[in-house]
Amino acid sequence: MDRFSFLNAAHTEFFAQLYEQYVDNPDSVEPSWRAFFQGFDFGMETYNEENAGAQFANYAENGVVSEKLQKEFNVLKLIEGYRTRGHLFTQTNPVRDRRTYEPTLDLVNFGLSDADLDTVFDAAKLLGKQPSTLKDILTHLKNVYCQHIGIEYMYMRKPEVIQWVQNRLNINDNLPNFDANQKKHILDKLNEAVSFENFLHTKYVGQKRFSLEGGESIIPALDSLIEAAAEKGVEHFVMGMAHRGRLNVLANIFGKNTQDIFSEFDGKDYDKEYFDGDVKYHLGLTSERTTDSGKKINLNLAPNPSHLETVGAVIEGITRAKQDRHFPNDFSKVLPIAVHGDAAVAGQGIVYEIVQMAQLDGYKTGGTIHIVINNQVGFTTNYQDARSSTYCTDIAKVTLSPVLHVNADDAEAVVHAMLFALDFRMEFGRDVFIDLLGYRKYGHNEGDEPRFTQPVLYKIIARHKNPRDIYAEKLIVDGIVDQAYLTKIENEYKERLDENLQESRKKSLTIIKPFMQDEWNGFEQVSDDVMLQKVDTKFTKKQLDEILEVVSSLPSDKKFINKISKIVTDRKTMYDNNAIDWGTAETLAYGSLLYEGYDIRVSGQDVERGTFSHRHAVVKVEDSEEEVILLNNLKNSKGRFQIYNSLLSEYGVLGFDYGYALAAPKTLTIWEAQFGDFSNGCQIMLDQYISCGEDKWNNQNGIVLLLPHGYEGQGAEHSSARMERYLQLCARHNMYVADCTTPANFYHLLRRQMKTNFRKPLVVFSPKSLLRHPLCISTQEELYNGQFQETIDDITVDKKKVKTVVFCTGKFYYDILAERGNLERNDVALVRIEQLFPLPVAQLKAIIASYPNADDFVWAQEEPKNMGAYSYMLMNFDLVKWRLASLKAYAAPAAGSSTRDRRRHADAIRMVFDKNLFR
């Protein structure tokens, strides 16, 4: 069938119009037509350009396509085929045959044959070449797209980006072109990578190390990346990776003293009692490196647990914090590098969340270089069972990021691909992915038997040479090195390791250096007794007045909807009337910290307005939706206020903000859940980082979690922030947990978070209905002359008349207070515990002692018995024998029926005042 018979089936005017559209905007034309017209341009060079559309119409009208022009079109389609599908036919897999894909790139599939190989085609111009024979065009295409590097990029939508990639690929036919010294350097780094693993394998037989063997070429590639990036102005590198190959990277890229690594292998105790540490392949490091050209750079490898891919979000946050702090106008100065496993990058949902952050204002970092160490197996699962996509890197298409698939046995190709990735990131500030196709020499760990599940594959791997030996043979053949050189560098490196092993065994303790300590000068690590000490959080009334004037005044030259105008101006009314609500107190807390030079970052779903419309940190002009941030209008502010509505993510966004706080101790970093219930979507971040990061990795972190909590008849998923889970995680000195009942106390809590010389995560069960409760107000004096109160005693009762002392926390206090008023029970005192951890035991003792006639002590909570703070109080509060007033245990936090929910709530309140209802 004539491949161009379709030309005869359409009206000539259609061709002319379509061609004119193509000339005006090639991307607006369907791809196959675009390719056709590109070929037509080559074939029509002798025609008058101004009349090209008409000429084409006449040409098509005659229904004749010359054989020469038809062949040009066919060659054009061939080029398009290699560009779009060449990556499917590469030599990128070192140990497996590639799957067969159809259609192939055979000439016959493009209407061409071997008879055309010597024909010269103008289509070569599309490759940046002079007219060339089909044979030369084919050689070029195979070199560029089908050797040891396969590239996916044609789905990118910007013509200038595609053109940049194509121009870059055309250089040297996308083949490495290193000089002799560069090749020797690659060999040196490969030798370090291979020799390091061999040394550990012989000295620590059977110990887990999650070796890099099969992917050692990442070491010279990372080394070349760092050297080249420093030349382009990068000053900070922030890297995250799981455990596979981590020790090798620490030793041979980050310069970690192998004496310390050997001490960790020997299982020695740590030099600090309060620090429990982590396994050696989870630890991070910050180091300073001087490049070959003399540039000093800062290297950071973030610590992380075995929960794969969590660290990806953390390093993005660290990177953004460093950019905001050191290079706010040039994000290119800090480069994030995320190293993934093939099974993890395809299987873990957080990767999608992180990728979706890549171009968002609140989370972008100027492009991340993603590197997949592709073992082609996850634990024991073959890749055919691990994903539905063709590649593990298909997530890259979400952000239209290019992907380079590289044979890990070809060290030069790996370095070449890495330098391409760097250039792309620096040019466009966007993500780029490298899929490093290798293998895993042993099982999941060194004690695992891989032949149980992959017997055929591991027979191949057992016979396969390592990348160093493959490359050394090539360099020997090329006359660049000889066997003596190889023996020399291998022996020298092994001797250094032997010396360090002997030195390490002279030491009795393991010393773990804190990660990123350069950002934490002046901060101390403290225990819970220091956490309970009072902190001066006062702030002058004069400055508070100035802040209030700014945050209660909208620009007069802009039009806002009436509700917004009223909300903002009401701030001043409340302030003047000494009836300051939650939102105003929160805003004033931010303003006061900005005055004192602290930066503030707030992030989460709908935080700009606030889920419950209480914050309005960002207001929109009615007609234009221009954003106005009043806190950034403070004249004497020394800090910067940033607030961002996040994507609909908890896990990824909290990981990002945790990372941000890890690198920015002088920034109040807040993540707010839309509802506290939704924080369970980021449970891994809570369990593995926030609650134990200091204990495992010696890292302080001041992240604040605002978790809206309270039973207001909104059902099971909009009531409880699962207080019990956070309290279960509390131990020693790991974090603060608070449930405030007054705007002033929340104000001082936020200020205390920054006024200490240490940082701890802070979990706040923040209110919903209390945001507008008529009794939940504070005075000016409570703000400017107060301090945070860990407990609030009942000052409205005659303590000698009190028989029942009720301990409670949060919003439930106001519910009990209302019922006490209804019952006129002046023998009941209500004591609020505002800080649950560390529990202020000394204050509680004093409060209990102040009620001489009390004989009934109650713990009251609106949550069911198996939830809330009850179990925590049972374990930690034994000062008195007390009874429980709460709902009985339930599986769901709250009933779906508002009627049933209110009935149960009322029952819990009645139990406070009636001992006979005790369950």
Side-chain angles (χ1 to χ4, degrees), residues 646-658:
S646 75
L647 64 162
L648 196 67
S649 153
E650 290 85 30
Y651 187 6
V653 171
L654 179 57
F656 185 102
D657 286 322
Y658 174 87

Side-chain angles (χ1 to χ4, degrees), residues 643-840:
I643 185 166
Y644 301 103
N645 285 343
S646 75
L647 64 162
L648 196 67
S649 153
E650 290 85 30
Y651 187 6
V653 171
L654 179 57
F656 185 102
D657 286 322
Y658 174 87
Y660 196 101
L662 195 59
K666 294 183 179 179
T667 297
L668 177 65
T669 305
I670 297 174
W671 175 74
E672 181 176 63
Q674 191 173 64
F675 286 86
D677 317 55
F678 299 162
S679 64
N680 57 14
C682 50
Q683 196 66 43
I684 291 173
M685 291 307 312
L686 302 170
D687 291 345
Q688 299 298 329
Y689 284 89
I690 290 171
S691 66
C692 55
E694 184 171 352
D695 196 41
K696 291 196 297 188
W697 306 316
N698 230 357
N699 294 337
Q700 294 190 67
N701 194 293
I703 182 74
V704 177
L705 278 63
L706 301 184
L707 308 178
H709 174 85
Y711 281 56
E712 284 108 354
Q714 297 299 308
E717 273 71 61
H718 294 86
S719 297
S720 176
R722 296 290 193 173
M723 184 183 294
E724 63 278 2
R725 293 181 179 171
Y726 295 90
L727 293 174
Q728 184 186 39
L729 293 171
C730 291
R732 299 172 74 187
H733 50 255
N734 63 333
M735 56 185 174
Y736 285 110
V737 176
D739 191 4
C740 300
T741 58
T742 73
N745 223 22
F746 182 57
Y747 167 91
H748 289 290
L749 180 65
L750 291 178
R751 285 185 50 73
R752 184 186 73 173
Q753 188 69 1
M754 301 309 293
K755 299 293 285 185
T756 61
N757 67 340
F758 60 87
R759 293 288 179 265
K760 304 285 181 180
L762 167 63
V763 178
V764 184
F765 300 104
S766 56
K768 296 180 288 184
S769 62
L770 292 193
L771 296 173
R772 295 172 182 82
H773 196 290
L775 296 182
C776 188
I777 54 175
S778 298
T779 66
Q780 291 183 28
E781 185 174 8
E782 286 173 326
L783 264 63
Y784 67 75
N785 199 31
Q787 62 181 351
F788 178 70
Q789 301 178 76
E790 291 82 5
T791 58
I792 300 179
D793 197 3
D794 196 335
I795 61 173
T796 66
V797 296
D798 183 344
K799 293 198 171 190
K800 293 180 181 178
K801 295 180 180 179
V802 169
K803 294 291 186 180
T804 297
V805 178
V806 180
F807 299 93
C808 62
T809 186
K811 167 246 174 192
F812 201 40
Y813 161 77
Y814 290 95
D815 299 333
I816 302 171
L817 181 66
E819 183 67 6
R820 185 178 73 174
N822 292 336
L823 298 175
E824 298 182 348
R825 290 285 301 272
N826 59 6
D827 64 331
V828 177
L830 306 182
V831 178
R832 288 168 271 176
I833 301 179
E834 303 280 288
Q835 178 175 291
L836 287 157
F837 190 85
L839 193 65

Side-chain angles (χ1 to χ4, degrees), residues 66 100 157 160 234 273 293 299 334 364 376 440 453 461 485 663 697 727 753 771 776 786 789 792 815 888:
S66 72
T100 301
R157 297 189 186 123
E160 65 272 19
V234 175
E273 179 59 34
S293 64
L299 299 176
V334 187
K364 62 186 178 184
Q376 307 185 63
R440 190 182 67 195
T453 49
I461 291 173
Y485 178 84
W697 306 316
L727 293 174
Q753 188 69 1
L771 296 173
C776 188
Q789 301 178 76
I792 300 179
D815 299 333
K888 65 180 182 180

